[in-house]
Amino acid sequence: MKIVAGLGNPGPEYVFSRHNAGWLAADRIACSWSCGAPRMQFSSMAWTHHFNGEKILLLKPLTYMNLSGRALGEAVRYFSLSWEEDVLVIYDDTALPFGKLRLRKKGSAGGHKGMASIIAAAGTAEVCRLRIGVGAVPERREMVSWVLGPFSGEEQKALPDLLDSAARAVELWCSGDVDRAMNEINSNA
């Protein structure tokens, strides 16, 4: 069994914000996998899907970004899974240009409060993550207003293709060969 968690914030004001890129990716994955309506489980919206014979739990934590580790930790403990091998976290990253994806097996939170919460809950930085580039904060703009702000009109037009690419990246990760998935995803970026 594996867990894929898309990070974001609940509430209508955040739906199409840059900070909800992980949630948007989770929605796209649930749709492409024809998962149907989610259920409430582990303080999250949750779907179950079988991919290549492996059971996948797709989560959208409802705990707000900075407490994502609490929701994900509930699921990891319940199923006695390995943070290093069985979990993939999807989230926004301002260090990447809009539209770029990066898959990594481990690393720091890079200032991302959701990932910091997950690393704290896991007790290790060895948690696989798919970072979705949302672009750098423009000059004279604060980080919070940038990530909680909406995508530009041009970005909104490109968003469906980006989310499709993120869904394909998740499927590559789910296939079990993380190194191959990293090579393919990161070389296309």
Side-chain angles (χ1 to χ4, degrees):
M1 177 174 193
K2 296 198 178 292
I3 296 175
V4 175
L7 304 189
N9 284 315
E13 67 272 31
Y14 303 118
V15 172
F16 288 104
S17 70
R18 288 175 181 83
H19 219 24
N20 271 29
W23 264 29
L24 294 170
D27 286 338
R28 180 57 60 106
I29 294 162
C31 183
S32 71
W33 286 350
S34 301
C35 290
R39 66 187 181 285
M40 293 301 299
Q41 189 177 17
F42 308 114
S43 304
S44 303
M45 293 172 64
W47 298 265
T48 303
H49 180 72
H50 286 83
F51 184 84
N52 289 346
E54 177 101 50
K55 184 176 182 179
I56 309 293
L57 180 63
L58 179 61
L59 297 177
K60 284 176 49 175
L62 296 171
T63 52
Y64 285 95
M65 188 67 78
N66 62 345
L67 297 174
S68 299
R70 182 171 55 181
L72 192 49
E74 289 176 30
V76 170
R77 285 188 302 278
Y78 182 84
F79 292 109
S80 300
L81 298 176
S82 163
W83 285 96
E84 295 88 352
E85 296 176 18
D86 302 324
V87 176
L88 175 65
V89 180
I90 310 167
Y91 61 96
D92 61 292
D93 193 332
T94 59
L96 292 174
F98 175 83
K100 300 296 182 187
L101 299 175
R102 287 286 186 277
L103 180 65
R104 296 281 186 256
K105 290 183 188 179
K106 61 183 177 180
S108 73
H112 195 280
K113 294 184 190 299
M115 197 62 207
S117 173
I118 288 167
I119 290 170
T124 180
E126 293 188 27
V127 179
C128 213
R129 74 275 317 263
L130 177 64
R131 298 170 13 224
I132 299 175
V134 296
V137 180
E139 283 188 41
R140 293 182 226 130
R141 182 106 183 244
E142 294 199 14
M143 175 69 80
V144 172
S145 71
W146 177 249
V147 297
L148 295 181
F151 290 101
S152 71
E154 197 171 295
E155 290 169 338
Q156 288 176 25
K157 290 178 188 171
L159 199 53
D161 288 339
L162 175 57
L163 296 175
D164 285 342
S165 294
R168 282 191 297 278
V170 168
E171 289 181 352
L172 279 171
W173 178 81
C174 288
S175 71
D177 189 344
V178 178
D179 290 321
R180 182 178 149 260
M182 285 181 10
N183 285 337
E184 187 168 328
I185 294 159
N186 299 339
S187 67
N188 288 335

